Amino acid sequence: MQNQVIVRELHSFQEQAEARAIFDLVWPLETGGTEITSNLMQSVLHNGGYLSGAYDGDKIVGATFAFPSIEPELHIHSHMSATIDGYRDQGIGHQMKVHQYHWARKHGYKSITWTYDPLVKRNAKFNLIKLGVDLIEYLPNFYGEMEDALNKGDETDRLMVRWDLTSPEPKSRTLIEQIPAGAKTIAIPEDIVNIREANLSEAIKWRHKVRGQFQEVKELKSLLGLSVNGEYVFS
């Protein structure tokens, strides 16, 4: 499937509408509204932003949206990236991020940042291992209460990550098979999404436990990576 999918930059109003439909499908609102309004997306793209779509023939199956920022350096912040059901776990998310990496380098950005939920193990592996990003900051309840079906009822703790654009190609990490003596580890659940759907209070217990452990880490840049069991490992 991956070889059939092409990632390309999007520009027109029709293309923007297709991308917004992806976001609204993955993060549906009870009100039926949209995550990103058309006028906001158009303004961002007109002022240095980024929008790409992954296409299987004429069908859009994924999208990524980012906006420019200047603090603490000239970078682009990747706000949303999603792939629809039936096309996940086929490398399409990686295709979209690599496309964004090369686009950002071409346009003079120094790095790409984004946030992800520290409790989602599959995202941690994707970001830290496959893409090789660095941790910047732990942000408790960063977005406040969100109304989409995926996040509703939970607290929105996030890890901010930075993807350095110095190298012509991204550099991945390898999983840590043996944890060094004296290293600090932070364990996360195997599937926080299933836990949240089955027992929200249990998911929030995990949230607060992991939050406290991250806040005890003096320097997130001391991250060594993830263990084969999916634990965060700090020196």
Side-chain angles (χ1 to χ4, degrees), residues 1-2 4-7 10 18-19 21-23 25-26 52-64 81-88 90 92-93 95-96:
M1 182 67 71
Q2 178 180 353
Q4 300 176 14
V5 172
I6 295 175
V7 179
L10 306 182
E18 291 178 357
I22 293 290
F23 301 141
L25 183 64
V26 174
S52 70
Y55 284 83
D56 181 6
D58 294 331
K59 178 183 179 181
I60 188 169
V61 299
T64 301
S81 187
T83 307
I84 63 173
D85 285 341
Y87 287 85
R88 295 183 183 135
Q90 297 174 23
I92 297 170
Q95 278 183 266
M96 290 195 294

Side-chain angles (χ1 to χ4, degrees), residues 68-174:
S69 181
I70 60 172
E71 293 294 340
E73 62 187 357
L74 181 63
H75 71 280
I76 194 160
H77 183 76
S78 190
H79 181 56
M80 304 181 82
S81 187
T83 307
I84 63 173
D85 285 341
Y87 287 85
R88 295 183 183 135
D89 301 321
Q90 297 174 23
I92 297 170
H94 185 254
Q95 278 183 266
M96 290 195 294
K97 294 308 291 185
V98 171
H99 182 279
Q100 188 182 48
Y101 184 97
H102 292 297
W103 181 93
R105 274 178 54 86
K106 178 182 177 181
H107 286 79
Y109 291 105
K110 304 300 182 184
S111 62
I112 304 172
T113 64
W114 64 89
T115 65
Y116 78 92
D117 187 336
L119 295 183
V120 180
K121 187 173 289 189
R122 61 185 294 170
N123 287 354
K125 289 182 177 178
F126 177 72
N127 291 320
L128 299 175
I129 303 303
K130 192 161 189 176
L131 300 182
V133 303
D134 297 312
L135 300 184
I136 298 176
E137 189 176 6
Y138 189 93
L139 302 163
N141 204 24
F142 181 57
Y143 295 113
E145 184 175 354
M146 298 180 71
E147 295 301 321
D148 65 272
L150 188 61
N151 294 287
K152 188 175 179 62
D154 198 1
E155 296 176 28
T156 54
D157 289 31
R158 295 293 184 266
L159 277 167
M160 183 75 73
V161 302
R162 178 183 182 273
W163 208 13
D164 184 78
L165 300 178
T166 303
S167 300
E169 298 291 339
K171 296 181 178 180
S172 62
R173 288 188 179 94
T174 58

Side-chain angles (χ1 to χ4, degrees), residues 20-21 23-25 27-37 148:
R20 290 198 309 276
F23 301 141
D24 294 341
L25 183 64
W27 293 286
L29 299 176
E30 290 183 353
T31 59
T34 185
E35 287 279 353
I36 303 292
T37 61
D148 65 272

